[in-house]
Amino acid sequence: MSRFDFSPLYRSAIGFDRLASLMENAANNGSNGNSGYPPYNIELLNENQYRISMAVAGFARDELEITSHENTLMIKGHKTPEQQGGRNYLYQGIAERGFERRFQLADHIKVTGADLENGLLHIDLVREVPEAAKPRTISIG
């Protein structure tokens, strides 16, 4: 992939120093070979609420780990040979391989909960903008 020069953006955008690293992370996530597994949806519930639904068939609650740190949400699924039960499959169409999926969250996005239902992992997110960050009118005096 060719490199892009983002310096013109820095002339009029203040505080977007992370833009280049976010673009690079997005490019790397698409080329890691695991980009399609597990499949997921991102849903807009209302103006400030989102839901990520991820297909994790074959994984139990204790085999999934969800971590939110700064602006990164990481979901890991891991199976050990003992958990697979030493089964002898003639055909295995349900992928039970481990995975790690990362999402870059915008500022002020918080994880509010997670639920595992019918093979789908639902992660609820909400945008909570603090009062100090909301627009305010400045009087001319």
Side-chain angles (χ1 to χ4, degrees):
M1 182 177 166
S2 62
R3 295 276 183 202
F4 295 100
D5 181 19
F6 292 109
S7 57
L9 294 176
Y10 296 136
R11 292 183 201 142
S12 60
I14 300 168
F16 287 93
D17 304 336
R18 298 183 323 137
L19 182 62
S21 64
L22 289 175
M23 297 281 284
E24 189 171 326
N25 285 341
N28 289 340
N29 284 340
S31 63
N32 63 7
N34 201 20
S35 61
Y37 179 76
Y40 64 92
N41 294 333
I42 300 175
E43 184 179 1
L44 177 64
L45 300 176
N46 65 40
E47 186 179 345
N48 291 315
Q49 290 184 316
Y50 306 88
R51 172 177 278 177
I52 299 172
S53 297
M54 185 175 293
V56 291
F59 286 88
R61 281 178 165 75
D62 61 337
E63 298 167 339
L64 297 169
E65 178 184 342
I66 303 169
T67 307
S68 178
H69 179 68
E70 294 178 356
N71 289 1
T72 302
L73 173 65
M74 183 170 52
I75 302 145
K76 289 183 186 179
H78 50 84
K79 289 261 189 195
T80 61
E82 301 87 42
Q83 290 170 323
Q84 292 176 347
R87 297 180 180 133
N88 188 12
Y89 292 104
L90 296 177
Y91 172 77
Q92 185 176 7
I94 299 173
E96 292 183 344
R97 64 184 180 270
F99 66 88
E100 181 177 312
R101 168 84 58 189
R102 293 176 188 260
F103 295 92
Q104 291 293 323
L105 303 177
D107 292 336
H108 312 299
I109 298 288
K110 305 291 182 218
V111 178
T112 59
D115 190 30
L116 183 62
E117 177 183 356
N118 299 328
L120 290 175
L121 175 65
H122 299 289
I123 302 169
D124 294 319
L125 307 158
V126 67
R127 176 183 293 134
E128 296 176 349
V129 180
E131 286 297 321
K134 289 184 179 177
R136 63 182 202 263
T137 304
I138 301 167
S139 61
I140 302 172

